[in-house]
Amino acid sequence: MTESRSEKIRAIGKETVVYSLSTIAGRFIGIFLIPIYTRIFSPEEYGVLDLVATVYSFVMLFLYMGLDSAMGRYYADAESGRDQRVTASTGLFFLIAVSVVVTGMATLLSSHISALIFGTTAHRYLILVALATIPFSLVASYAQKLFRWRFESVRFAVTSIASLVLQTGLSIYLVVFLRIGVMGVYLAALIAAVLFSFVNIWLTRSSFGFVFSAPRLKSLLAFGIPLIPLSLAHYIMTYSDRYFLMHFRGLSEIGLYAIGYKLASLIALLVAGFQMAWGPFVYSTYKDPEAKRMFNQIFDYVSVGVCTAIVVLSIFSWEILTVFTTQAYVEAYKVVPLIAASIAAYTFGGYLTIGIGIAKKNVHRAWAGAGAAVVNLVLNYFLIPHYGMVGAAVATIVSFAIMSVVLMYISERYYPVSYRFEAHILMYCAAGLLLFVVFRFFPHGLTLESLGLKTMMVLIFLMVPFVTRIIGFREIRYVWRLVRRDVHAGV
């Protein structure tokens, strides 16, 4: 391995670690809140909390219009600081104007939205608070994305963690001490969003100016709008199952599913930081002679790490939920492997489709996402009435896998990397077989026998990446040298 390639892999590793700090903090706080919320809220109340979150995410999806991704792509290609300010400012001013108008109109329909989702207007005030949060969240998030493109990963991590700590502290105070219920969670989110919209804009103020360019807005929208169908598809594949569960099973099952989803989302600890570092890294290195070999090698490391994490998390999901929740929520363990695999499929889809972003052909993401969303809706309709939340999880993994495979095939036409798919597929099949055996035949319980058997299965799986030759001891030694080098350097 050349010194140049080694240094670049080391660089993205460092960026991933820093970005992951904010993700780790977020997931840790999410896990920390589970034993609190599950002891205060019933599964039905947790279902309300989750359904309001789906409304919030739906509005955010459309208002963003892909402008965050578009801004990053054109910001990276800018030839001067002034050009960067034109790009960032144009996107920001347009985002503010549209979000204020749309959410203002939506607040007038809050009672109708509540009635449509819950069959009652009793939750209209929750809807109102969630809608009021959106413009501030958009601004805070947009400004924070600039930290990535300015390669200011430390600022990104610090502001993310600070916002999470503030929101969590307020939530605990309002929910636990003032006892104002689910409303306390959304009031805390509103206060944190307002504060950090101003903080993040102030910290990135050098990237903004009182400029607005209609031609630049046209370019940004041309890049970003095709991402709306993809974002809508992602929303459908992530959240539409809640509406089907509400219709066929009720709020209680939504609450269980939400807890299982939250636990499975711990996989994002491994991938979220990498995703944040990945975009700027790809666009700054894809023209290098050794870029494709480097991308292939990085995928080997990421794939092995994520697959191992899914196996460990899934095998011990029953025990984790037993410790961190009440007995009413333990059945959520059944969906953890499928949802964790769905998150991995979506992540790998982003990794394996860099050719589409390089070629600026996001229209492919739009139609592929739309097709996968249709598959998801059909599967939800037929599976959820019979299998409940497990059927929802199956629909999620199948639709994400289909979208990722299609986009990967298209991406290879624009920028062929020639990944070693056969070896990775063998590893995924081995992981699936192992989890089937554990869930079907192994006992659950906080006993030495159960924990010992499950630990043995994890150790067996750790041999699979070596057997399939995805990694070897050479790679282990290489990663260990990089880690020791950074530790000794005080990084």
Side-chain angles (χ1 to χ4, degrees):
M1 182 183 298
T2 66
E3 184 66 20
S4 174
R5 181 150 58 102
S6 175
E7 287 300 315
K8 288 176 179 177
I9 292 176
R10 178 170 173 262
I12 192 174
K14 291 168 61 179
E15 290 288 295
T16 297
V17 169
V18 176
Y19 283 125
S20 294
L21 290 176
S22 59
T23 306
I24 291 171
R27 300 302 171 186
F28 173 79
I29 289 172
I31 292 296
F32 172 75
L33 288 174
I34 285 177
I36 297 175
Y37 286 170
T38 53
R39 284 165 174 79
I40 293 176
F41 301 142
S42 66
E44 290 81 4
E45 290 173 314
Y46 207 98
V48 171
L49 181 69
D50 195 57
L51 271 179
V52 174
T54 66
V55 176
Y56 174 87
S57 299
F58 183 76
V59 180
M60 286 278 287
L61 179 158
F62 278 100
L63 292 184
Y64 239 141
M65 289 182 284
L67 282 178
D68 54 336
S69 298
M71 179 272 290
R73 186 68 181 95
Y74 282 90
Y75 193 90
D77 280 349
E79 298 179 354
S80 65
R82 183 186 183 283
D83 195 32
Q84 288 178 333
R85 286 191 293 274
V86 169
T87 295
S89 301
T90 298
L92 177 65
F93 292 145
F94 182 76
L95 196 64
I96 291 173
V98 172
S99 65
V100 169
V101 172
V102 173
T103 56
M105 294 175 60
T107 57
L108 300 176
L109 302 173
S110 58
S111 294
H112 298 285
I113 296 173
S114 178
L116 178 65
I117 296 173
F118 298 101
T120 174
T121 61
H123 302 297
R124 64 186 182 279
Y125 294 115
L126 283 176
I127 301 292
L128 278 172
V129 174
L131 290 172
T133 306
I134 287 174
F136 298 102
S137 293
L138 285 170
V139 171
S141 177
Y142 183 89
Q144 196 170 51
K145 292 284 177 32
L146 268 173
F147 292 137
R148 291 175 56 203
W149 301 103
R150 288 161 43 135
F151 295 95
E152 296 176 346
S153 55
V154 174
R155 279 192 171 184
F156 183 98
V158 170
T159 54
S160 296
I161 293 172
S163 177
L164 284 167
V165 170
L166 174 63
Q167 183 175 336
T168 303
L170 288 171
S171 293
I172 292 174
Y173 177 71
L174 295 172
V175 173
V176 177
F177 295 100
L178 296 188
R179 296 285 181 177
I180 63 174
V182 175
M183 177 64 78
V185 177
Y186 287 99
L187 284 174
L190 174 60
I191 295 170
V194 170
L195 177 60
F196 278 89
S197 63
F198 289 101
V199 169
N200 291 347
I201 287 293
W202 173 257
L203 292 175
T204 56
R205 62 190 182 279
S206 61
S207 291
F208 297 110
F210 291 102
V211 292
F212 184 88
S213 169
R216 181 58 50 84
L217 176 62
K218 182 179 179 181
S219 298
L220 292 174
L221 293 176
F223 184 96
I225 285 179
L227 294 176
I228 293 180
L230 177 64
S231 297
L232 178 60
H234 181 263
Y235 177 88
I236 290 172
M237 290 184 284
T238 303
Y239 294 112
S240 69
D241 44 24
R242 271 69 161 188
Y243 300 104
F244 285 97
L245 286 169
M246 176 69 181
H247 179 72
F248 291 113
R249 293 298 182 111
L251 283 170
S252 181
E253 187 125 353
I254 294 176
L256 289 176
Y257 187 64
I259 289 295
Y261 214 111
K262 189 175 289 291
L263 178 59
S265 295
L266 283 174
I267 294 302
L269 289 177
L270 289 180
V271 299
F274 173 75
Q275 284 177 306
M276 293 174 188
W278 184 238
F281 178 78
V282 166
Y283 293 141
S284 64
T285 60
Y286 73 91
K287 295 180 182 178
D288 291 357
E290 289 195 327
K292 294 180 180 180
R293 290 181 61 191
M294 182 167 52
F295 296 159
N296 215 323
Q297 185 176 6
I298 293 172
F299 176 64
D300 287 344
Y301 297 151
V302 174
S303 180
V304 170
V306 171
C307 193
T308 301
I310 291 173
V311 169
V312 174
L313 181 65
S314 300
I315 284 179
F316 294 104
S317 57
W318 188 94
E319 288 77 9
I320 294 171
L321 288 169
T322 299
V323 172
F324 284 97
T325 70
T326 64
Q327 192 62 36
Y329 288 92
V330 172
E331 287 298 303
Y333 84 93
K334 295 177 180 179
V335 304
V336 171
L338 294 168
I339 297 301
S342 302
I343 294 170
Y346 181 70
T347 301
F348 292 159
Y351 183 96
L352 299 171
T353 59
I354 57 178
I356 295 173
I358 291 171
K360 299 180 180 178
K361 300 291 185 180
N362 282 331
V363 64
H364 295 301
R365 299 188 190 276
W367 67 258
V374 171
V375 171
N376 180 266
L377 291 172
V378 172
L379 289 176
N380 278 329
Y381 180 79
F382 285 104
L383 294 177
I384 288 178
H386 301 287
Y387 304 105
M389 62 181 181
V390 175
V394 170
T396 302
I397 178 59
V398 170
S399 53
F400 272 126
I402 289 174
M403 183 178 70
S404 296
V405 169
V406 170
L407 290 177
M408 175 274 297
Y409 176 79
I410 296 170
S411 177
E412 287 290 292
R413 292 166 51 192
Y414 290 111
Y415 188 81
V417 179
S418 302
Y419 298 102
R420 298 187 298 149
F421 290 119
E422 294 83 0
H424 289 275
I425 290 172
L426 283 175
M427 180 176 66
Y428 304 152
C429 290
L433 178 61
L434 183 146
L435 290 176
F436 173 78
V437 170
V438 170
F439 274 63
R440 181 68 177 82
F441 301 106
F442 278 38
H444 297 300
L446 297 174
T447 65
L448 288 178
E449 178 187 7
S450 175
L451 295 175
L453 287 171
K454 292 184 176 183
T455 301
M456 180 183 67
M457 297 301 286
V458 171
L459 294 175
I460 291 173
F461 176 78
L462 290 177
M463 295 186 291
V464 173
F466 295 94
V467 173
T468 55
R469 297 185 178 181
I470 298 175
I471 61 171
F473 291 105
R474 176 184 175 186
E475 285 77 11
I476 298 296
R477 288 193 296 269
Y478 166 69
V479 173
W480 177 245
R481 284 198 303 270
L482 291 184
V483 172
R484 289 184 60 189
R485 180 177 172 181
D486 284 344
V487 170
H488 289 314
V491 177

